[in-house]
Amino acid sequence: MPGTNLTREEARTRAALLAVDAYEIELDLSSAREGGTFRSTTVVRFTSTEPGASTFIDLVAPAVTEIVLNGRALPLENFADSRIALPGLAAENELRVVADCAYTNTGEGLHRFVDPADGETYLYTQFEVPDARRVFANFEQPDLKATFAFTVTAPAGWVVVSNSPTPEPAGDGDTRVWTFEPTPRMSTYITALIAGPYVGVFDSYDNGAQHVPFGVYCRPSLREFLDADAIFAVTRQGFDYFQEKFDFPYPFAKYDQLFVPEFNAGAMENAGAVTFRDQYVFRSKVTDASYEARAATILHELAHMWFGDLVTMEWWNDLWLNESFATFAEVVCQAESPASQWPHSWTTFANQMKTWAYRQDQLPSTHPIMAEINDLEDVQVNFDGITYAKGASVLKQLVAYVGQDAFFQGVRAYFKRHAWGNTRLADLLGALEEASGRDLRTWSTAWLETAGINVLRPELSVAADGTIESFAVLQEAPALPAGARGEAVLRPHRIAVGLYELVDGKLVRTDRIELDVDGERTAVPQLTGRPRPAVLLLNDDDLSYAKVRLDADSLAVVTAHLGDFADSLPRALCWASAWDMTRDGELATRDYLALALSGLQRESDIGVVQSVQRQVKLALELYADPAWREEGLQRWAAAAQTALHEAPAGSDHQLAWARTLAGAARTDDQLALLAGLLDGSVEIDGLAVDTELRWALLGRLAATGRADEAAIDAELARDNTSSGQEHAATCRAARPTAEAKAAAWASVVESDTLTNYVQEAVIAGFQQPDQRDLLAAYTEKYFASVKQVWETRSHEISQQIIGGLYPSYAVSRATLDATDAWLATADPAPALRRQVVEARAGVERALRAQAADR
């Protein structure tokens, strides 16, 4: 039985048979305040190339009450296994389906949320990958595009937003009816509906005759924190940049951005009605890195209006065409737009997104960028660092290979040629080949159709007088883990070699050589006879996607002077290389800690600072020799305490170190400092102990047994919001008692009533690295439960549990053996197997790193 799955072959067969014209969808949401189900009525018109043939339409719903095909009532028994069988098609067809669909609390389909701040109900849809069928009957695959006309009945006083401009509601009494104009042709997964007493701020983009209405929405309880002007400014920046680069006007009638509660992703590119997680409405002070991250997300979703919404992949194996391009576009817009506040965006990309890609690409589940997607379950676990970050890295490499002008010339032709249609990889490559005059088939095979990450190392010979006798770049093929899909290959790289010298205490680039690297060894004769610089940096400017190593002398200089690079990007590349070496067991965790303690003192980029802070904590908890771990953790906590007091008052660095100490405090005096900051008996000049920082302080006090249930209840009374309830759930689960762990486990695994965000919060509190002994009993329980979780929960909920509750802190051979025994006997579905195998790989890597640290 297919269940909620759909195979690629089924989709191909259906696409060959059908062409879909239009949907008319009526949703009665007058029951929203009570929850349960809502009435969904769908009329869809479509043609068939084979009259008399049969097919099916998709629907996930508790009940169907009416199925009428071409005036003929079909048996309700035709609805089974999330499909409605449609026999005896005509050449032209009209299907009417009436169903009772369910509100969800999982962030999938039509999510229902009650705000504790005002008791009001808020709804929004999230349909990617296959969840529009939870709200209306449809042909749920991206290449069966159609127009969509929504009619929505909802409580009076509500705001209702969809892909088309919001009409004036009609009617009187307790409900109103909104009748939306049909959309342009689009895929089911980018349709949207947001409804509830949201509040909005409005503006527009005006450029000559072009007028695009803007709206930014959130819940009333967040309105005081909504900095709409800043959001509009970034949006205008994107409109200016993308319309000029793509030479195609924004393709929809308006552009709304809605910040919604309990959102599973960062955002979703619904056409003209983008939804964002409302943590991007900052309730408390955050660092500039958070504003940069929000701006990147805004630009990412705006780029999708062209790449993904206007032109859509035919099937999910080309998901990277959507996500990689949008990721590349967000960064290049930030880097090049005159209006950008963050022109150093490639530094952020190198330090965060690429490290995500490197980590993902070394897992047993690694796959080519153009992944083989056999069914929906495959794609649902494929929104990963390869699809987003590696793909964007490779696009940057492609730009270096063909030139940016030719790249965007090809993109412009691609949009004009395929507007409102569906494409495959060959369509984009063909447009780029025409624009650049270069054959990209070999490039595509090497970069898009193979897995793994190459390593580039310098080969250097220096004469007695200090001049370079020879220099070459050595390339290693990826060491693909057992079971990985794809073939390990040597790839062509366009890279730069940077030459850096110490000048007045700063590492300054004195020269740069750009070249093509191919094969196992590429000589660089341009360096022969030149004085050896202080640092030779491969892949300077981060043009290619590869792990980079330093020669011994360069590494020594970088270790002593990492924070002294005059520019942020080479610093980020060296930080990333050091982190990768630590994960690979080539650099001991204690040496990485020493590097961090030295380099962070002089690191100015707050995004880099916060990334390294997170990585140090992870390295100490997982990669340090257990016999030395406590010493390392104490050194880190002491350094954080010192840095907090020494950071400039009110600075981003001060806040970052405060949050780091809140996660690292161990000694009585450090924990007393946290308690003093929380109760107001201790003040640090410039440090605002606001709502989010208070919860961070309390979380550590709860995890160490310094804060009890009464303290958690008191803090929740101060902040009785949805965020406050989630933080309180984390604190309760973090308490170091057997009772707290048992209650947390039961609420997540033995019950299914928690919302997606509360469940995530409980899991975060449950998994405390300081509580390994308390958690030891749950390894056996995990493997006894995980398959049932997969089979009985929704994808998002099960993925949280499977990844979040895996015994990742139990770094031992016994954990690997328990995992292997389960994999050998449980017969898990491929997507479930992938998640568990990925978690196992983390323990295996940690064991190797611990051995290296010893």
Side-chain angles (χ1 to χ4, degrees), residues 799-835:
Q799 191 167 28
Q800 278 186 6
I801 298 171
I802 293 161
L805 290 180
Y806 183 85
S808 56
Y809 291 120
V811 179
S812 67
R813 183 69 242 178
T815 300
L816 297 183
D817 291 343
T819 308
D820 292 340
W822 181 85
L823 289 168
T825 60
D827 190 27
L832 171 58
R833 174 180 288 274
R834 169 177 170 165
Q835 292 175 68

Side-chain angles (χ1 to χ4, degrees), residues 187-321:
S187 301
T188 54
Y189 77 93
I190 57 170
T191 59
L193 180 69
I194 303 91
Y198 291 92
V199 292
V201 181
F202 305 98
D203 207 323
S204 65
Y205 178 80
D206 296 282
N207 182 12
Q210 184 183 28
H211 173 76
V212 181
F214 283 174
V216 172
Y217 295 83
C218 70
R219 289 175 283 144
S221 59
L222 290 175
R223 176 63 184 89
E224 64 178 296
F225 309 111
L226 180 65
D227 50 342
D229 287 345
I231 295 166
F232 287 138
V234 173
T235 307
R236 283 195 186 86
Q237 169 193 329
F239 265 73
D240 286 340
Y241 186 84
F242 294 146
Q243 291 192 139
E244 187 271 325
K245 288 296 183 183
F246 301 161
D247 191 29
F248 198 109
Y250 172 73
F252 301 102
K254 51 89 178 180
Y255 195 65
D256 290 326
Q257 298 175 90
L258 303 106
F259 294 84
V260 298
E262 299 184 326
F263 199 69
N264 282 327
M268 175 61 203
E269 65 269 21
N270 312 307
V274 176
T275 40
F276 295 84
R277 61 190 301 128
D278 62 14
Q279 285 88 342
Y280 279 132
V281 180
F282 303 120
R283 303 192 309 153
S284 298
K285 181 179 179 181
V286 296
T287 68
D288 188 63
S290 295
Y291 288 100
E292 181 185 1
R294 183 179 70 180
T297 304
I298 289 170
L299 295 171
H300 181 104
E301 304 310 321
L302 179 57
H304 270 311
M305 297 300 112
W306 290 266
F307 228 111
D309 293 6
L310 174 70
V311 182
T312 313
M313 75 260 148
E314 181 179 290
W315 178 246
W316 297 102
N317 58 299
D318 280 320
L319 173 65
W320 82 276
L321 281 177

Side-chain angles (χ1 to χ4, degrees), residues 594-678:
L595 179 65
L597 294 178
S598 170
L600 285 177
Q601 295 177 11
R602 300 184 299 281
E603 178 56 65
S604 59
D605 189 293
I606 190 61
V608 172
V609 168
Q610 291 180 281
S611 289
V612 174
Q613 288 170 335
R614 290 189 293 268
Q615 289 162 356
V616 168
K617 186 69 160 55
L618 179 63
L620 290 170
E621 298 292 3
L622 291 179
Y623 302 154
D625 175 11
W628 176 82
R629 180 189 297 130
E630 183 58 33
E631 178 184 339
L633 288 167
Q634 289 189 14
R635 287 181 61 192
W636 178 238
Q641 185 176 8
T642 299
L644 169 60
H645 287 290
E646 293 180 350
S651 66
D652 281 357
H653 284 66
Q654 183 189 56
L655 177 59
W657 283 113
R659 296 190 69 86
T660 296
L661 181 61
R666 314 188 69 72
T667 64
D668 288 341
D669 71 305
Q670 290 164 357
L671 294 166
L673 173 59
L674 301 192
L677 289 171
L678 188 62

Side-chain angles (χ1 to χ4, degrees), residues 564-577:
D564 296 325
F565 278 97
D567 296 320
S568 62
L569 183 52
R571 289 200 309 270
L573 295 175
C574 291
W575 279 119
S577 179

Side-chain angles (χ1 to χ4, degrees), residues 58 65 176 265 282 329 335 460 522 528 575 608 628 688 747 781 825 849:
D58 304 291
T65 58
R176 298 288 185 274
F282 303 120
L460 178 64
T522 302
T528 303
W575 279 119
V608 172
W628 176 82
S747 70
K781 293 181 179 180
T825 60

Side-chain angles (χ1 to χ4, degrees), residues 575 578-579 582 587-596 612 615-616 619:
W575 279 119
W579 174 236
T582 305
L587 183 68
T589 294
R590 64 197 69 200
D591 293 333
Y592 182 67
L593 174 62
L595 179 65
V612 174
Q615 289 162 356
V616 168

Side-chain angles (χ1 to χ4, degrees), residues 341-362:
Q341 298 181 56
W342 298 279
H344 62 279
S345 58
W346 286 119
T347 297
T348 304
F349 180 80
N351 185 253
Q352 296 180 15
M353 295 294 286
K354 287 190 82 169
T355 56
W356 178 30
Y358 294 160
R359 181 174 69 251
Q360 187 78 42
D361 214 1
Q362 296 175 82

Side-chain angles (χ1 to χ4, degrees), residues 405-662:
D405 289 344
F407 176 81
F408 279 115
Q409 182 182 339
V411 166
R412 291 173 193 133
Y414 174 81
F415 287 140
K416 290 179 173 64
R417 190 173 301 162
H418 301 289
W420 309 112
N422 295 87
T423 58
R424 302 179 181 181
L425 168 64
D427 297 311
L428 177 62
L429 291 183
L432 294 173
E433 285 181 331
E434 292 172 15
S436 67
R438 303 194 74 158
D439 184 347
L440 297 179
R441 285 171 294 181
T442 301
W443 179 91
S444 172
T445 299
W447 279 106
L448 301 179
E449 300 166 41
T450 60
I453 177 173
N454 302 99
V455 182
L456 302 181
R457 300 182 188 272
E459 181 188 72
L460 178 64
S461 175
V462 180
D465 64 357
T467 59
I468 297 173
E469 292 181 320
S470 66
F471 187 88
V473 180
L474 306 182
Q475 180 181 187
E476 300 172 9
L480 293 181
R485 290 178 286 176
E487 179 183 354
V489 297
L490 299 176
R491 298 185 175 104
H493 301 262
R494 184 70 177 176
I495 71 165
V497 179
L499 286 65
Y500 289 84
E501 296 285 8
L502 275 167
V503 180
D504 297 328
K506 291 289 185 182
L507 278 169
V508 178
R509 187 165 71 185
T510 57
D511 203 357
R512 175 184 182 276
I513 297 169
E514 192 167 317
L515 70 151
D516 291 314
V517 169
D518 207 351
E520 293 184 0
R521 185 179 187 278
T522 302
V524 188
Q526 300 96 313
L527 288 173
T528 303
R530 300 176 62 158
R532 193 233 138 82
V535 175
L536 283 158
L537 180 60
L538 298 184
N539 199 30
D540 201 18
D541 292 327
D542 202 28
L543 298 181
S544 192
Y545 174 82
K547 295 164 64 170
V548 170
R549 297 295 183 254
L550 298 165
D551 67 273
D553 290 340
S554 293
L555 180 59
V557 174
V558 167
T559 301
H561 296 281
L562 201 163
D564 296 325
F565 278 97
D567 296 320
S568 62
L569 183 52
R571 289 200 309 270
L573 295 175
C574 291
W575 279 119
S577 179
W579 174 236
D580 189 68
M581 290 171 68
T582 305
R583 294 185 70 252
D584 282 358
E586 297 179 29
L587 183 68
T589 294
R590 64 197 69 200
D591 293 333
Y592 182 67
L593 174 62
L595 179 65
L597 294 178
S598 170
L600 285 177
Q601 295 177 11
R602 300 184 299 281
E603 178 56 65
S604 59
D605 189 293
I606 190 61
V608 172
V609 168
Q610 291 180 281
S611 289
V612 174
Q613 288 170 335
R614 290 189 293 268
Q615 289 162 356
V616 168
K617 186 69 160 55
L618 179 63
L620 290 170
E621 298 292 3
L622 291 179
Y623 302 154
D625 175 11
W628 176 82
R629 180 189 297 130
E630 183 58 33
E631 178 184 339
L633 288 167
Q634 289 189 14
R635 287 181 61 192
W636 178 238
Q641 185 176 8
T642 299
L644 169 60
H645 287 290
E646 293 180 350
S651 66
D652 281 357
H653 284 66
Q654 183 189 56
L655 177 59
W657 283 113
R659 296 190 69 86
T660 296
L661 181 61

